[in-house]
C-alpha cells in the first residue's frame, strides 16, 4: 500500500486516506480520548487538521500517521514522529513521538506496538539522534507507554506547555521523556523492545 511507514505484527502505520476521516474526527472529539487536552475539535476543525497532517506526511515523511489493523486496514488511531513547533521551549529540530487511540482499542497494546516500530524507524531510517515525548503530568496512560518503549524521564526538561490556555492551567505542566539512539541500540542488543 502506498504511504506505508512501518508494519508490525498486527498493525500498519501509514499516511491517512479519505476513508479515515470519520475515525480521525472520532478520536479528536471524544472527551475521554481528549481528557488531557484543553479542547475538542468540531468536524470542520478535524477535517482541516486531517488535510494538514496528510499533506505534511506526504511532503516531509514526518507527522502523526494513521494506525490501521493489518488484517483489514481499518484505522484505529494515530502514532507518529513529528517535528515540534514549540520554540523556545523545545529547540528547532526536536522530533517527538505521540499517539491517540480510539477508545474501543484501548488496553490491547496497539500504541506500544506502533510506537516501538516508529522508534526503530526514527533511528534506523530517519537517522535521528534523539526522540522525545511529553504529556500532562497526570496522564498516567501515556507516561506508561513512554516507559514501555524505553524512554526515560528527564525532569530537568519538564515544561509548561505554551499553548495551554489560562482556563486550563491544570493541563499546562508536561512531563518530558526521551530516548537517544545509543540507548535504543543497547535495548536492541539486550533483546528488549523488539
Amino acid at each position: 500500500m502506498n504511504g506505508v511507514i512501518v508494519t508490525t505484527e498486527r498493525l500498519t502505520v501509514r499516511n491517512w486516506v479519505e476513508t479515515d476521516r470519520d475515525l480521525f474526527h472520532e478520536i479528536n472529539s471524544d472527551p475521554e480520548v481528549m481528557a488531557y487536552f484543553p479542547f475538542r475539535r468540531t468536524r470542520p476543525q478535524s477535517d482541516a487538521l486531517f488535510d494538514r497532517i496528510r499533506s505534511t506526511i506526504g511532503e516531509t515523511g514526518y507527522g502523526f500517521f494513521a494506525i490501521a489493523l493489518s488484517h483489514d486496514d481499518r484505522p484505529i488511531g494515530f502514532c507518529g514522529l513529528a517535528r515540534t513547533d514549540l520554540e523556545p521551549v523545545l529547540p528547532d529540530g526536536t522530533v517527538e513521538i505521540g499517539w491517540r487511540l480510539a477508545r474501543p482499542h484501548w488496553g490491547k497494546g496497539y500504541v506500544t506496538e506502533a510506537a516501538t516500530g516508529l522508534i526503530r524507524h526514527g533511528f534506523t531510517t530517519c537517522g535521528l539522534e534523539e526522540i522525545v515525548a511529553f504529556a500532562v503530568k497526570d496522564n498516567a496512560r501515556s507516561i506508561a507507554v513512554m516507559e514501555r518503549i524505553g524512554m526515560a524521564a528527564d525532569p530537568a526538561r519538564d515544561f509548561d506547555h505554551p499553548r495551554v490556555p489560562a482556563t486550563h492551567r491544570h493541563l499546562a505542566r508536561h512531563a518530558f521523556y526521551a530516548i537517544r539512539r545509543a540507548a535504543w541500540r543497547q535495548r536492541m542488543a539486550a533483546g528488549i523492545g523488539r
Side-chain angles (χ1 to χ4, degrees):
M1 177 190 295
N2 191 20
V4 172
I5 309 299
V6 168
T7 56
T8 69
E9 183 180 345
R10 300 177 294 169
L11 304 170
T12 302
V13 181
R14 57 165 174 74
N15 201 348
W16 300 89
V17 296
E18 278 299 312
T19 53
D20 297 336
R21 283 185 187 272
D22 288 346
L23 178 280
F24 190 78
H25 178 247
E26 176 188 334
I27 60 176
N28 283 290
S29 60
D30 184 309
E32 286 192 55
V33 174
M34 299 294 287
Y36 293 99
F37 294 85
F39 56 86
R40 320 292 170 254
R41 286 189 169 86
T42 64
R43 184 58 188 251
Q45 290 169 334
S46 181
D47 282 345
L49 181 61
F50 179 96
D51 291 336
R52 191 164 66 248
I53 289 175
R54 185 166 63 168
S55 175
T56 298
I57 291 169
E59 291 167 11
T60 69
Y62 287 94
F64 293 111
F65 312 112
I67 306 171
L69 298 173
S70 296
H71 69 277
D72 62 4
D73 199 42
R74 180 165 47 104
I76 60 172
F78 69 66
C79 188
L81 297 171
R83 293 188 175 109
T84 61
D85 180 21
L86 291 173
E87 286 190 286
V89 175
L90 297 176
D92 188 39
T94 302
V95 173
E96 69 162 308
I97 188 166
W99 45 79
R100 205 167 291 165
L101 197 66
R103 262 190 295 153
H105 305 286
W106 287 9
K108 299 175 183 176
Y110 289 137
V111 167
T112 300
E113 185 175 326
T116 298
L118 281 169
I119 293 273
R120 180 181 300 109
H121 174 75
F123 288 135
T124 62
T125 304
C126 301
L128 299 174
E129 286 298 324
E130 181 183 60
I131 297 170
V132 309
F134 43 88
V136 173
K137 282 266 194 181
D138 293 338
N139 189 346
R141 281 180 170 277
S142 279
I143 289 171
V145 172
M146 294 172 197
E147 292 172 351
R148 279 197 296 273
I149 63 177
M151 303 187 101
D154 189 349
R157 295 164 82 182
D158 288 358
F159 64 96
D160 287 341
H161 201 295
R163 295 202 188 109
V164 173
T167 53
H168 290 74
R169 293 315 295 166
H170 63 288
L171 300 177
R173 195 68 180 166
H174 278 56
F176 189 96
Y177 279 68
I179 185 168
R180 296 194 62 79
R181 183 162 46 181
W184 174 79
R185 283 180 173 156
Q186 288 178 341
R187 283 174 58 84
M188 293 301 100
I192 302 168
R194 289 179 184 250

